[in-house]
Amino acid sequence: MGGMKEMMIEHQEDVALASDYLVNKGVLQKCEYHGEIFGGGAWKLEGEFWRTAMADRNRGDTGPVPWATKIEAREYTDLLKEAYEEHCGDECSYCAKLMAD
Ligand SMILES: [Zn+2]
């Protein structure tokens, strides 16, 4: 049972890496002041995105997603979907709060 927590932490790190990748691709946005990632929501990424994502994965250690080479393709796509859905919202919540105050 001891490894369970580590696996969860590792998963969160993978989701964070997937999120950064989506930001780099312009799929998600990152607030330049707070570092919060947003712009995701219900899954709507297209086939063209997946071709790019898989090509990037195939580039291995020299590509933009070296972390993806150690996981299954299926896990990779699941991570990208999870990262996208996790960062739903049209704006940084910190900025939104500041605007409201
Ligand atoms: Zn912000």
Side-chain angles (χ1 to χ4, degrees):
M1 294 298 278
M4 194 63 189
K5 193 177 175 188
E6 280 156 46
M7 276 179 66
M8 283 176 66
I9 291 169
E10 199 168 290
H11 180 72
Q12 283 309 308
E13 287 173 352
D14 286 346
V15 172
L17 289 167
S19 302
D20 284 342
Y21 173 66
L22 291 176
V23 169
N24 287 334
K25 287 290 168 189
V27 174
L28 289 176
Q29 290 171 274
K30 190 173 196 169
C31 175
E32 60 180 304
Y33 304 108
H34 306 106
E36 182 163 296
I37 297 171
F38 58 96
W43 186 254
K44 63 171 171 55
L45 296 182
E46 304 297 336
E48 193 176 332
F49 169 79
W50 289 119
R51 278 192 289 279
T52 306
M54 283 304 165
D56 283 343
R57 179 175 179 269
N58 289 339
R59 285 164 63 190
D61 290 341
T62 57
V65 286
W67 50 271
T69 59
K70 65 177 167 67
I71 59 177
E72 300 284 331
R74 174 67 193 275
E75 197 180 340
Y76 175 56
T77 57
D78 283 350
L79 273 173
L80 291 175
K81 285 182 190 176
E82 185 175 339
Y84 188 79
E85 287 165 2
E86 193 166 283
H87 298 288
C88 59
D90 296 330
E91 59 188 350
C92 166
S93 62
Y94 297 98
C95 286
K97 194 169 185 298
L98 287 174
M99 294 289 273
D101 287 344

